[in-house]
Amino acid sequence: MKLSGQRIIVASNRVPYNIVKSKSGIKYKKSVGGLVTAVDPILSRNGGLWIGWNGSKGHDRDFEKRIEVGREKGKVGYALKFISLSSTEIKNYYHGFSNRSLWPLFHGFICQSHFDKDYWRFYRKINNRFANNILEEVTGGELIWIHDYQLFLTPEALREQSDRDLKILFFLHIPFPNYESFRVLPWDDQILRGLLGSDLIGFQTQRCAFNFLECCKKILKLDVDFKSKKIFYGDRKVEAGGFPISIDFNHFDNMAGSKKTDRYLKRIKSFGGEARVVMSVERLDYTKGIKERLSAINRFFEKYPEYRKKVVFLQISVPSRTKIKEYIELKKEIDELVGNINGRFADELWSPVHYLYKALPQEKLAALYRISDVCMVTPLRDGMNLIGKEYASCKADGDGVLILSELAGSADELSDYSIMVNPYDIEEVADSLHRALCMDLNERKMMMSGLRNIVRKNDIYKWASKFLDYYNNII
Ligand code: F6P
C-alpha cells in the first residue's frame, strides 16, 4: 500500500511505545491496544511522524529529542515526538475527562460517568497543546491523522490556530453513542464542533457514523445528508463513514508460526495437562465483560459437571488505567471471583481458572492462541475489538472456535463464523461454551477458515487504503 506519497502526521493520546527509564538507559516497548495494533504497521511501512504523550509525569529532557522506531525487517520506520503532561494534567485530562467522563458515557455506562468542570478545562487545554505541537511540524500538504476520544477538540483547534488549508482526518476507535445518550454530556455541542474541524471522520461501524450525524442534526441543528453522510458546516463540508478497523493478518500469521513462538509453545505444551483450553485476553476494563464472563464460567462448571478437570479457562487481564477508582475496584472484584470459582471447583491437581494479570509479549500470546480450543471475546460494548481477529490469524491449523459478543463492533463482520452471545446473558454464554466444546472438527475448521478468510481479505492495509482513498476522492 502506498499512501499517495503524502507525509503523515499521526496524533493520539499516547505514542505507541511504553517507555521505561532505567540505569542502563531508556527502553521502548510497543504497547498493546487496538489503536497501536492498527496504526503502527502503517507508519512502520510508510514512514511519518507520531505525536503523543510518553506516559510519564512532568517534563523530561530525555524526551525533548525525537526517536526513530519500527525500522525492523526492512521497514522504513517513523519518528516519535513526545508531549509532556504534568500530574495535574494527567489527573484531569487523562484520568478525568477522557476516562471518567467520555469513556463510560460512550460505552453506555452513563451512571459511571463523572462530569467535572476542571476535567473539562484541562481537556481543552491539552487538546490545544496537541494542536500546537502538530502545527509546529506542518510544512504544507501533509495529512494530519488524529485518533480517538482523548483528542476530540484538536481538529477545531488546528483550524483556529492556522491559516493554512489543512488536511485533517479523524478516526474514532471507540463507539459513538446515540443522541439520547450523547446529549447527557454537558459539553455535547463543543465536542461535536471540535470534531467538525476534520474533513473526514471515520467510525468503526455505520451505526456509529449515523449516531454522529444525528447528533449534529439535533444538537447543532446542522444541515445533514444522511445518505451521502455529509454535514454542511459553515462554508465546509465534512464527511463521516463507517470503516471497520482490522489487524495485519500476515504479521500475526507469520509470527504464530515463527521459531520464537514455537519455543514458547514447547515450554507451555503441558499447560492444562489433558484439559482443553478456553482463553480470553484484554485490558482490565469494565467494558470488556470480564466479571460477567467469569460468572458464565462458574455457571458452565456448575451446569456441565462432566467438564470439570477437562477444561481450563485462561483469563489474561492486561493492567490498565490503574489509578482510576473504577478500575481499582474492578480488579478487586475479579480477583475475588477467580478465587471463588477456583475455591469451589478446584481439586489437588486441577484449577478451573488460570489467571494472569500482566501484558505478554506478542509471541507468547500467539502461542497461547495456538493452544486454545476456544477464544471468548465477550465485551459489554466495544468499538471493534481486535482479539477475535488476532485469534483467527494465529490459527493456521484452522482448528478453533470464537465466541463473540453481539455488542462488539467486530460482530458485524465475524458473526457468520462465530458463536454469537449476549454477554449479559450468563446462561447463554455458559451454554455457548458447551456448544463450542461439542463441535466436531469439520465444523470447527469450517468456522475458522471463514474467519481467517475475512480477516485476510480485510486487513489493516485494506482499512487504511479504504479510509485514505475515500479521503482522496472527496477533496
Ligand atoms: O482503544 C481505546 C484506547 O483508549 C486507545 O486510545 C488506547 O490505545 C487504548 O485504549 C489503551 O488505553 P490507555 O492509553 O488509556 O491505556
Side-chain angles (χ1 to χ4, degrees):
M1 184 195 56
K2 196 87 211 104
L3 297 171
S4 340
Q6 292 163 105
R7 181 170 171 252
I8 299 196
I9 301 177
V10 169
S12 66
N13 172 51
R14 280 183 201 269
V15 288
Y17 280 75
N18 286 320
I19 301 162
V20 187
K21 279 181 84 173
S22 68
K23 278 185 195 141
S24 56
I26 303 180
K27 286 207 176 100
Y28 300 91
K29 204 169 140 219
K30 194 150 346 125
S31 41
V32 288
L35 197 161
V36 179
T37 311
V39 182
D40 170 81
I42 299 167
L43 277 202
S44 299
R45 263 208 200 180
N46 294 282
L49 174 69
W50 191 319
I51 302 180
W53 174 42
N54 59 33
S56 66
K57 253 189 240 161
H59 183 76
D60 188 327
R61 301 212 96 179
D62 277 333
F63 296 115
E64 278 174 4
K65 42 188 185 292
R66 41 195 81 193
I67 58 151
E68 289 290 326
V69 291
R71 275 224 181 116
E72 68 272 5
K73 293 184 197 140
K75 296 182 178 154
V76 288
Y78 59 95
L80 298 181
K81 175 180 179 181
F82 303 107
I83 303 269
S84 35
L85 297 177
S86 69
S87 47
T88 318
E89 289 166 348
I90 295 170
K91 175 171 164 253
N92 290 284
Y93 147 77
Y94 171 66
H95 292 140
F97 198 75
S98 298
N99 290 318
R100 293 193 84 210
S101 310
L102 294 175
W103 178 266
L105 180 70
F106 277 51
H107 284 88
F109 291 80
I110 298 184
C111 297
Q112 252 171 255
S113 303
H114 298 263
F115 303 121
D116 175 312
K117 65 177 179 9
D118 284 331
Y119 286 179
W120 170 243
R121 189 160 58 82
F122 277 93
Y123 184 79
R124 278 176 32 210
K125 178 179 169 196
I126 302 307
N127 271 253
N128 277 323
R129 182 175 301 163
F130 269 83
N132 286 332
N133 272 276
I134 294 169
L135 288 175
E136 278 170 16
E137 306 301 326
V138 170
T139 52
E142 43 274 278
L143 280 184
I144 303 171
W145 196 1
I146 301 168
H147 290 266
D148 235 353
Y149 61 100
Q150 300 94 339
L151 302 179
F152 278 148
L153 303 179
T154 304
E156 183 189 34
L158 283 167
R159 297 229 183 259
E160 280 173 0
Q161 291 171 33
S162 171
D163 297 332
R164 285 177 192 266
D165 184 20
L166 301 171
K167 299 177 181 174
I168 307 175
L169 293 88
F170 190 98
F171 190 81
L172 182 64
H173 293 254
I174 68 171
F176 195 92
N178 62 22
Y179 164 66
E180 291 302 341
S181 308
F182 183 69
R183 66 194 294 208
V184 168
L185 184 67
W187 304 279
D188 55 353
D189 52 338
Q190 294 178 64
I191 292 289
L192 294 176
R193 284 207 183 84
L195 265 170
L196 288 169
S198 322
D199 297 302
L200 172 64
I201 308 169
F203 297 88
Q204 298 279 22
T205 62
Q206 297 296 357
R207 211 171 24 252
C208 290
F210 174 84
N211 288 345
F212 173 71
L213 293 171
E214 192 174 42
C215 288
C216 288
K217 185 164 184 65
K218 293 195 167 153
I219 296 169
L220 299 182
K221 313 277 181 251
L222 294 176
D223 185 6
V224 172
D225 179 353
F226 284 88
K227 208 158 160 236
S228 62
K229 302 196 195 67
K230 281 192 189 66
I231 303 143
F232 299 90
Y233 187 52
D235 57 355
R236 293 177 44 244
K237 253 189 324 226
V238 178
E239 306 230 4
F243 299 88
I245 206 166
S246 194
I247 58 166
D248 185 344
F249 176 89
N250 287 331
H251 167 76
F252 277 92
D253 190 35
N254 291 335
M255 182 196 43
S258 70
K259 284 199 183 117
K260 202 164 171 193
T261 302
D262 277 345
R263 277 201 296 277
Y264 279 127
L265 206 59
K266 266 194 204 130
R267 264 195 258 157
I268 58 169
K269 225 166 63 204
S270 59
F271 173 73
E274 294 295 295
R276 295 173 76 188
V277 179
V278 179
M279 77 172 284
S280 287
V281 55
E282 59 257 309
R283 287 186 303 103
L284 191 138
D285 194 297
Y286 51 85
T287 61
K288 303 291 182 188
I290 306 171
K291 279 196 306 183
E292 292 71 11
R293 189 184 310 134
L294 285 167
S295 302
I297 295 297
N298 183 54
R299 180 68 186 128
F300 170 79
F301 285 115
E302 189 178 70
K303 190 167 176 181
Y304 302 103
E306 65 276 23
Y307 282 94
R308 294 181 197 168
K309 300 185 202 166
K310 305 237 169 67
V311 167
V312 171
F313 176 61
L314 168 65
Q315 170 66 46
I316 306 166
S317 297
V318 179
S320 176
R321 304 175 192 165
T322 51
K323 300 276 186 312
I324 300 177
K325 187 169 154 257
E326 289 76 17
Y327 290 74
I328 298 170
E329 281 166 6
L330 178 67
K331 175 167 184 310
K332 276 197 207 132
E333 287 177 77
I334 291 173
D335 287 350
E336 207 169 288
L337 267 169
V338 171
N340 286 345
I341 302 172
N342 281 341
R344 182 171 176 201
F345 297 109
D347 67 12
E348 301 79 353
L349 299 173
W350 168 80
S351 289
V353 182
H354 194 91
Y355 179 52
L356 304 185
Y357 178 60
K358 57 162 87 161
L360 297 181
Q362 274 198 338
E363 288 83 359
K364 228 180 215 175
L365 193 57
L368 289 168
Y369 284 142
R370 276 180 62 185
I371 61 159
S372 294
D373 300 85
V374 181
C375 179
M376 297 179 80
V377 178
T378 58
L380 303 179
R381 173 89 70 217
D382 218 324
M384 174 53 57
N385 197 306
L386 296 173
I387 299 299
K389 296 187 178 187
E390 289 184 10
Y391 178 62
S393 309
C394 290
K395 282 289 196 185
D397 68 354
D399 185 6
V401 183
L402 177 64
I403 297 181
L404 181 61
S405 164
E406 294 158 3
L407 304 173
S410 53
D412 289 1
E413 287 172 278
L414 306 182
S415 61
D416 286 351
Y417 300 101
S418 311
I419 300 183
M420 301 305 296
V421 291
N422 173 343
Y424 288 96
D425 187 341
I426 305 304
E427 198 70 22
E428 185 193 38
V429 178
D431 290 343
S432 299
L433 179 54
H434 180 246
R435 200 181 132 205
L437 292 165
C438 290
M439 274 186 179
D440 66 30
L441 183 62
N442 279 342
E443 203 181 350
R444 297 199 301 261
K445 288 211 157 182
M446 191 274 290
M447 301 273 274
M448 185 47 74
S449 101
L451 286 177
R452 283 175 64 83
N453 285 339
I454 292 171
V455 187
R456 188 187 286 115
K457 248 209 247 147
N458 300 297
D459 70 356
I460 187 61
Y461 300 105
K462 187 78 172 285
W463 168 80
S465 46
K466 266 194 190 160
F467 188 61
L468 298 170
D469 287 350
Y470 189 97
Y471 173 74
N472 286 324
N473 285 332
I474 60 171
I475 48 167

